[in-house]
Amino acid sequence: QSVLTQPPSVSAAPGQKVTISCSGSSSNIGNNYVSWYQQLPGAAPKLLIYDNNKRPSGIPDRFSGSKSGTSATLGITGLQTGDEADYYCGTWDTMRGVFGGGTKLTVL
Amino acid sequence: EVQLVETGGGLIQPGGSLRLSCAASGFSISTNYMSWVRQAPGKGLEWVSVIYSSGSTYHADSVKGRFTLSRDNSKNTLYLQMNSLRAEDTAVYYCARDHPTGNYPAFDIWGQGTMVTVSS
């Protein structure tokens, strides 16, 4: 059981918008920064969002992040078939790193 | 080019030991936070360990007392010494760099991963 809670799966049509939630507590999300990762099948994870809402160089602005209290959200607009992947949130929690269980995004 | 290359994975019997290496290029591991993250077959990501630029290390409870994280700055290489291995340690092990200006954790560079299989 993961410390951070994510929905197992989400789906949407190409061109649409989707959001993925990440729920935690005061010991993790509530007092630390959140990062988000995309993992394509058979590949290493890729950083999409860090410090709650910052995008690394090269990440399109279709990807956005936000945080409120003990929850964080990843938003993806203009969905493309290439966005089909597993998405993970991550943060710090009392001297250890923690991840969510992952959300599988299906682009219908 | 900034990259990380892990080596050292393989098949090991329960109770055995293995040392993973992560060779960095294009940046210095001594001035960055460096971590190991693992992923069991078909499962999600699990944080394993971190070494700060100061040299301080932290480990997940699941590996504390069994895994040791170290680095050789002259070789620009990170090591994960894994002892008393268990079946539940079976996973792909990724080495990752923390974003230089972000707040930990923000893994911006990942290696390709190395598979560790613990089985008799």
Side-chain angles (χ1 to χ4, degrees):
Chain A
Q1 187 121 3
S2 301
V3 172
L4 306 179
T5 301
Q6 297 181 234
S9 63
V10 295
S11 62
Q16 296 301 302
K17 173 183 178 178
V18 71
T19 60
I20 298 174
S21 61
C22 176
S23 177
S25 66
S26 59
S27 67
N28 43 66
I29 293 177
N31 282 285
N32 292 285
Y33 290 90
V34 177
S35 53
W36 288 92
Y37 305 86
Q38 176 194 62
Q39 187 176 33
L40 298 171
K46 177 183 179 181
L47 180 66
L48 293 178
I49 298 290
Y50 68 100
D51 288 1
N52 302 331
N53 55 20
K54 297 179 181 177
R55 287 187 309 277
S57 173
I59 301 300
D61 60 7
R62 299 189 300 109
F63 296 90
S64 63
S66 64
K67 186 185 108 168
S68 177
T70 59
S71 294
T73 301
L74 173 70
I76 311 173
T77 60
L79 276 172
Q80 303 172 1
T81 55
D83 296 332
E84 279 207 346
D86 293 324
Y87 292 82
Y88 296 89
C89 57
T91 189
W92 187 247
D93 183 340
T94 317
M95 297 170 61
R96 59 173 178 157
V98 290
F99 287 102
T103 299
K104 183 175 183 59
L105 169 62
T106 300
V107 181
L108 302 168
Chain B
E1 181 187 6
V2 174
Q3 69 172 0
L4 296 168
V5 178
E6 303 100 332
T7 55
L11 175 63
I12 187 75
Q13 291 189 341
S17 298
L18 208 57
R19 189 179 81 158
L20 305 183
S21 300
C22 171
S25 57
F27 72 99
S28 173
I29 64 168
S30 66
T31 59
N32 287 272
Y33 289 11
M34 299 295 299
S35 299
W36 288 93
V37 175
R38 69 184 181 184
Q39 187 170 34
K43 302 297 184 181
L45 303 176
E46 180 184 9
W47 180 86
V48 176
S49 303
V50 61
I51 183 166
Y52 290 170
S53 50
S54 65
S56 298
T57 60
Y58 294 92
H59 301 276
D61 288 345
S62 58
V63 308
K64 203 171 292 183
R66 300 188 298 124
F67 290 12
T68 302
L69 183 51
S70 63
R71 67 189 181 199
D72 184 332
N73 294 338
S74 66
K75 295 182 179 179
N76 213 27
T77 298
L78 186 71
Y79 301 102
L80 184 67
Q81 177 66 43
M82 305 185 296
N83 299 329
S84 303
L85 282 162
R86 307 166 180 167
E88 53 264 37
D89 295 319
T90 294
V92 174
Y93 284 73
Y94 294 102
C95 170
R97 184 190 80 169
D98 198 54
H99 193 285
T101 61
N103 286 278
Y104 190 84
F107 309 119
D108 68 334
I109 304 295
W110 295 70
Q112 83 286 357
T114 186
M115 183 70 203
V116 173
T117 303
V118 184
S119 174
S120 55

